[in-house]
């Protein structure tokens, strides 16, 4: 890690966790990690990760392309083999989105028989969709490159796919300006999200954990959750982990 610098890898676009706003990257993760960097007396530097498969972001971490990954990343057993995770900072879950004009009767995963479900490669929605396919509860799974989330939503509105699955806050953000698309089910899964460091970097993991604990203690983490993730919105299944 460069002296005085904290390089943070994030996959874009993934609002409200990270999104482009003019020449800046903003969102929950940049806001949180800028606060973490300040508490570590380091300068926050955003590093973009753009590829087909989200899990490739951890290979970049291992190569030293960045010091930490903060990208709305769910902590899974598989990912624990790729990186060391700090204590969870957000709890959320998968949500289901449909075009209500095309599929007015779909209210959840139990209504997807004969339909095609879209997911992103490497996203934690992918094994959920695969399980639904194995059980015969959907007709099939269409996989999109991680960076092609907007293409997937275009396909959803066009009827090329019938439904799409991803974490609730992201789907609420991306459907806000698409009036025919709606989140019809949330809380499909229960997932802990966390910041990741290289597997052998216990010192940085400890530093980040201490900084996050300070953000919990002074209310900053909760405030940023309300501001960016809508944790105070009625019906939200997303919350910061205190």
């Amino acid at each position: 890690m460069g002296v005085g610098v904290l390089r943070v890898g994030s996959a874009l676009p993934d609002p409200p966790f990270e999104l482009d706003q003019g020449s800046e990257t903003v969102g929950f993760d940049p806001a949180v990690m800028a606060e973490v960097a300040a508490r570590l007396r380091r300068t926050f530097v955003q590093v973009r990760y753009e590829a087909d498969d989200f899990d490739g972001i951890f290979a970049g971490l291992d190569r030293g392309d960045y010091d930490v990954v903060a990208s709305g990343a769910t902590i899974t057993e598989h990912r624990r083999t790729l990186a060391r995770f700090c204590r969870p900072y957000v709890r959320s879950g998968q949500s289901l989105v449909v075009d209500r004009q095309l599929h007015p009767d779909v209210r959840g995963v139990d209504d997807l028989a004969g339909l095609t479900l879209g997911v992103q490669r490497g996203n934690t929605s992918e094994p959920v969709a695969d399980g639904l396919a194995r059980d015969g509860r959907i007709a099939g799974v269409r996989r999109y490159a991680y960076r092609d989330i907007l293409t997937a939503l275009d396909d959803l509105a066009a009827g090329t796919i019938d439904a799409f699955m991803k974490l609730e806050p992201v789907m609420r953000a991306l459907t806000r300006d698409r009036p025919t698309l709606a989140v019809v089910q949330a809380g499909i899964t229960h997932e802990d999200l966390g910041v990741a460091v290289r597997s052998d970097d216990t010192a940085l993991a400890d530093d980040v954990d201490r900084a996050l604990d300070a953000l919990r203690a002074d209310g900053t983490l909760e405030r940023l959750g309300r501001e960016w993730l809508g944790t105070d919105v009625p019906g939200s299944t997303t919350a910061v982990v205190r």
Side-chain angles (χ1 to χ4, degrees):
M1 181 168 58
V3 176
V5 172
L6 184 69
R7 299 169 301 155
V8 179
S10 300
L12 286 97
D14 199 36
F17 289 101
E18 37 269 326
L19 63 150
D20 290 322
Q21 191 173 83
S23 59
E24 278 189 285
T25 299
V26 299
F28 178 75
D29 284 320
V32 169
M33 295 311 294
E35 293 280 356
V36 167
R39 281 160 174 76
L40 299 182
R41 298 185 178 181
R42 298 183 182 275
T43 301
F44 167 75
V45 175
Q46 184 74 63
V47 181
R48 298 174 66 97
Y49 169 80
E50 294 179 289
D52 291 348
D53 189 318
F54 179 78
D55 277 352
I57 198 169
F58 301 108
L61 180 63
D62 198 48
R63 285 193 304 269
D65 295 346
Y66 24 82
D67 306 305
V68 304
V69 167
S71 193
T74 297
I75 303 169
T76 67
E77 288 307 309
H78 169 64
R79 288 176 180 171
R80 285 185 190 276
T81 69
L82 306 176
R84 177 182 295 273
F85 280 87
C86 300
R87 288 192 293 276
Y89 63 162
V90 172
R91 186 164 292 127
S92 190
Q94 296 299 323
S95 66
L96 187 71
V97 177
V98 300
D99 187 304
R100 281 186 164 165
Q101 292 183 346
L102 297 177
H103 293 289
D105 297 328
V106 174
R107 297 180 177 85
V109 294
D110 291 338
D111 303 316
L112 295 178
L115 302 182
T116 299
L117 178 61
V119 296
Q120 291 167 292
R121 292 192 191 98
N123 189 262
T124 47
S125 58
E126 194 173 21
V128 179
D130 288 341
L132 292 170
R134 281 194 305 271
D135 293 342
R137 297 172 64 187
I138 59 176
V141 180
R142 178 160 181 180
R143 301 167 209 278
Y144 290 83
Y146 196 85
R147 60 190 169 199
D148 288 342
I149 178 68
L150 300 182
T151 299
L153 296 182
D154 289 341
D155 285 352
L156 185 60
T160 305
I161 58 174
D162 303 299
F164 192 81
M165 186 180 289
K166 190 171 171 65
L167 283 180
E168 176 197 2
V170 182
M171 287 293 86
R172 293 202 187 280
L174 289 177
T175 58
R176 194 169 293 134
D177 297 324
R178 294 174 180 253
T180 67
L181 303 186
V183 175
V184 294
Q185 185 181 13
I188 297 168
T189 59
H190 301 283
E191 305 181 22
D192 285 338
L193 283 56
V195 177
V197 304
R198 284 186 293 279
S199 297
D200 60 352
D201 202 343
T202 56
L204 182 56
D206 291 343
D207 286 345
V208 171
D209 273 333
R210 280 192 291 270
L212 287 172
D213 284 344
L215 297 183
R216 292 182 179 96
D218 68 10
T220 299
L221 191 62
E222 192 167 355
R223 173 179 59 79
L224 293 175
R226 292 193 302 269
E227 178 182 345
W228 287 106
L229 303 182
T231 54
D232 59 340
V233 174
S236 172
T237 62
T238 300
V240 298
V241 178
R242 295 183 176 86

